[in-house]
Amino acid sequence: MVARYELIADDLRNEIVSGALPVGSQLPSEAELAERHGAARGTVRQAVAVLAAEGLVGSRQGARRIVLGRARSQSFGELHSFAQWARANGYRFGGQVITQRRRAASAAESARLGPGEVLEVLRLRSLEGEPVLLERTVYAEWVAAAVERIPADCESVTEALYDSIGLVFAYGEHLIDAVSAGAEDARLLGVRRGSPLLRQRRVTTTHEGRPVESSDDRYRAGSVTFSIRNSIGANPLVRQAGDLRSGR
Amino acid sequence: MVARYELIADDLRNEIVSGALPVGSQLPSEAELAERHGAARGTVRQAVAVLAAEGLVGSRQGARRIVLGRARSQSFGELHSFAQWARANGYRFGGQVITQRRRAASAAESARLGPGEVLEVLRLRSLEGEPVLLERTVYAEWVAAAVERIPADCESVTEALYDSIGLVFAYGEHLIDAVSAGAEDARLLGVRRGSPLLRQRRVTTTHEGRPVESSDDRYRAGSVTFSIRNSIGANPLVRQAGDLRSGR
DNA sequence: TAGTGGTCTAGACCACGGT
DNA sequence: CCGTGGTCTAGACCACTAA
């Protein structure tokens, strides 16, 4: 069942992506869109809210909406899963488990994932034949067994876990910064020690808010970029200070 | 004039931040919230949509909404403006123009900012007394004169431009990656050449979609982190590949 | 001042989750 | 099965922009 407002949003998005509504141009008014699609105004507003959330259009009270950009945002799955992202963008990609072991959870890990044992997995992912990403992932005890059953060269861990135990990654928190490559990072990614890496730390939970995994992912510099489009009134991304003040 | 749904959202947000609604707990149903505030259900849905956009609550059809986190997202202004962010978080901060000059726009700059001259400014920003951010900003010709009137040690360029010509930065696109410090970066930020920097490139426009500036901001590693909370169905952040394939 | 988007209401039906 | 959130309607009034 596809919602009416999704169809209207698709329609408008196609006009933007195709260039029929160029960047900087005005969208039709809500009244006109409502008449064109035979829908109520509220439904049209839901549709343009989708486009606004994608960063494609902006709006201000009293004036027509304008087109801000043509790039289509990808889904949560594509941010969460390297495989889903790479596939959606037509890249050749691969993955290989380097090491995998169970151990007791540290205090910090207990706080994030719950008490007990954790499963620590080191995975190297490649894009277009080159190693680009080193994932150090810690899984909560309740998914550890399912993760251990996954082949070492599995393309998509996310999909494997969905197929095997119906696990859906629903919410994530991500911290993005830059770090120096350590000895292991450098060896596996094929860069010099101390060279820059883009780091994405994340904690992911299920629909119910149950923590699944905590990960430290490091990208070779130049291999990927994170992109965000925002506006006054929208605030998806936040800047946080590091360890600047004494006592922190 | 504060909207009704904003008041309801504030109310719920306070309960979350104060811990009255702990992380993982369920929100009251829409019907109950509507009755409690004497509002229609649609208004209540607007309120919880605000919290969902902030990443504080998640929802799924058929089940109660749950609390995902307590951290309050900051505003667009705080992502856009170093000064607004630093002030909102209680940091001591400063800024100093290093160099500033007018020149002809390159082809890429003309495409982003419009044709003609541009004003190129190199600014060093400090946090808690330490240099942490080097901004290389290129302003469009129509704001160049106003920027040139700003004192070299101005704390907040964003606010200065609002006060002087009423300019409001409304929309921004940001690209985040990691790079090596060049000679100039290293000297001004007080790090070694080749050490990692977190880079944020951005293009900002007015409400009308008119481009104002394009900037390359580089943070010393460890000084700041970007944070994002997302969910299935929300997609503020996007990953993009770099220069991996031949011919790109 | 006319047109536009922002807010709000009161109701309806449906899809899904949990019991 | 009931309660929940998701979708949709038809209308109203207001705040703001632009001519």
Side-chain angles (χ1 to χ4, degrees):
Chain A
M1 188 59 193
V2 179
R4 186 80 166 274
Y5 74 87
E6 290 285 2
L7 298 176
I8 300 175
D10 289 345
D11 209 57
L12 281 169
R13 196 186 294 109
N14 287 337
E15 290 193 73
I16 292 169
V17 172
S18 73
L21 286 172
V23 173
S25 66
Q26 293 185 336
L27 256 63
S29 73
E30 294 179 356
E32 186 184 332
L33 289 170
E35 195 192 10
R36 182 191 300 180
H37 292 92
R41 190 179 154 219
T43 308
V44 169
R45 284 181 61 81
Q46 262 186 294
V48 295
V50 171
L51 301 185
E54 290 173 357
L56 294 181
V57 306
S59 68
R60 24 189 308 237
Q61 194 173 46
R64 283 280 183 91
R65 291 190 172 82
I66 57 172
V67 178
L68 292 177
R70 300 179 55 169
R72 168 122 167 64
S73 285
Q74 283 105 346
S75 70
F76 167 81
E78 291 167 27
L79 175 60
H80 174 79
S81 162
F82 182 80
Q84 281 180 37
W85 164 74
R87 187 178 298 140
N89 288 276
Y91 297 115
R92 288 187 297 113
F93 65 98
Q96 181 68 45
V97 170
I98 308 291
T99 66
Q100 175 170 317
R101 68 192 182 96
R102 287 199 188 228
R103 58 172 174 76
S106 70
E109 286 162 352
S110 285
R112 280 199 298 269
L113 301 175
E117 269 195 333
V118 295
L119 178 66
E120 182 181 342
V121 179
L122 180 64
R123 259 192 221 98
L124 183 64
R125 318 294 300 249
S126 66
L127 203 59
E128 300 294 318
E130 290 183 57
V132 297
L133 167 60
L134 193 59
E135 292 178 344
R136 289 187 181 84
T137 310
V138 176
Y139 293 92
E141 186 164 25
W142 66 278
V143 287
V147 174
E148 285 171 331
R149 284 194 300 270
I150 297 173
D153 63 346
C154 174
E155 277 191 350
S156 173
V157 175
T158 306
E159 288 165 20
L161 287 173
Y162 177 74
D163 292 341
S164 63
I165 58 172
L167 175 63
V168 175
F169 294 86
Y171 304 113
E173 181 165 15
H174 308 259
L175 299 173
I176 295 167
D177 61 2
V179 295
S180 288
E184 188 177 51
D185 301 333
R187 178 166 49 83
L188 291 168
L189 289 171
V191 298
R192 280 200 303 278
R193 250 191 105 230
S195 68
L197 300 177
L198 184 63
R199 177 169 69 166
Q200 173 192 10
R201 284 170 295 175
R202 60 166 198 270
V203 177
T204 322
T205 71
T206 64
H207 270 132
E208 296 82 24
R210 174 135 90 138
V212 180
E213 51 149 38
S214 162
S215 191
D216 179 311
D217 296 357
R218 300 179 181 203
Y219 295 89
R220 226 188 52 203
S223 65
V224 309
T225 299
F226 290 104
S227 162
I228 187 171
R229 189 176 287 124
N230 75 349
S231 64
I232 288 185
N235 37 351
L237 187 67
V238 172
R239 181 165 30 186
Q240 297 181 336
D243 196 12
L244 286 164
R245 293 197 278 207
S246 59
R248 304 216 320 168
Chain B
M1 188 60 194
V2 179
R4 187 81 166 274
Y5 74 87
E6 290 286 3
L7 299 176
I8 301 175
D10 289 346
D11 209 57
L12 282 169
R13 196 187 294 107
N14 287 338
E15 291 193 73
I16 291 169
V17 172
S18 72
L21 286 172
V23 173
S25 65
Q26 294 185 335
L27 257 63
S29 72
E30 294 179 356
E32 186 186 331
L33 288 171
E35 195 192 10
R36 183 192 300 180
H37 291 92
R41 188 176 157 223
T43 307
V44 169
R45 284 181 61 78
Q46 262 187 293
V48 294
V50 170
L51 301 185
E54 290 173 357
L56 295 181
V57 306
S59 68
R60 32 197 294 244
Q61 194 173 49
R64 283 280 183 92
R65 290 188 174 81
I66 57 172
V67 178
L68 293 177
R70 299 179 57 167
R72 170 127 163 63
S73 286
Q74 282 104 348
S75 70
F76 168 81
E78 291 167 27
L79 175 60
H80 174 79
S81 162
F82 181 80
Q84 281 179 36
W85 164 73
R87 187 178 300 140
N89 288 277
Y91 297 116
R92 289 187 297 114
F93 64 98
Q96 180 68 45
V97 170
I98 308 292
T99 64
Q100 175 170 319
R101 70 192 180 94
R102 286 201 190 226
R103 57 173 173 76
S106 70
E109 287 162 353
S110 286
R112 280 199 298 270
L113 301 175
E117 269 194 333
V118 295
L119 178 65
E120 183 182 339
V121 179
L122 179 65
R123 256 189 222 99
L124 184 64
R125 319 293 299 252
S126 67
L127 202 59
E128 300 295 319
E130 290 183 57
V132 297
L133 167 60
L134 193 58
E135 291 179 343
R136 289 186 180 84
T137 309
V138 175
Y139 293 92
E141 186 164 24
W142 66 278
V143 288
V147 174
E148 284 170 332
R149 286 194 299 269
I150 298 173
D153 64 346
C154 174
E155 276 191 352
S156 173
V157 175
T158 305
E159 287 165 20
L161 287 173
Y162 177 73
D163 293 341
S164 63
I165 59 172
L167 175 62
V168 175
F169 293 86
Y171 304 112
E173 180 167 14
H174 310 259
L175 299 172
I176 296 167
D177 60 3
V179 295
S180 289
E184 189 178 49
D185 300 332
R187 179 168 49 83
L188 291 167
L189 289 171
V191 298
R192 278 201 304 279
R193 252 192 104 230
S195 68
L197 300 177
L198 185 63
R199 177 170 68 165
Q200 173 191 13
R201 283 171 295 175
R202 61 167 198 269
V203 177
T204 322
T205 70
T206 64
H207 270 132
E208 296 82 22
R210 175 135 89 138
V212 180
E213 50 149 38
S214 163
S215 193
D216 179 311
D217 296 357
R218 299 178 182 203
Y219 295 88
R220 224 190 52 202
S223 63
V224 309
T225 299
F226 290 104
S227 161
I228 186 170
R229 190 175 287 124
N230 75 348
S231 64
I232 289 187
N235 37 353
L237 186 67
V238 173
R239 182 164 32 186
Q240 299 182 335
D243 197 10
L244 285 165
R245 294 198 279 206
S246 58
R248 305 211 329 166

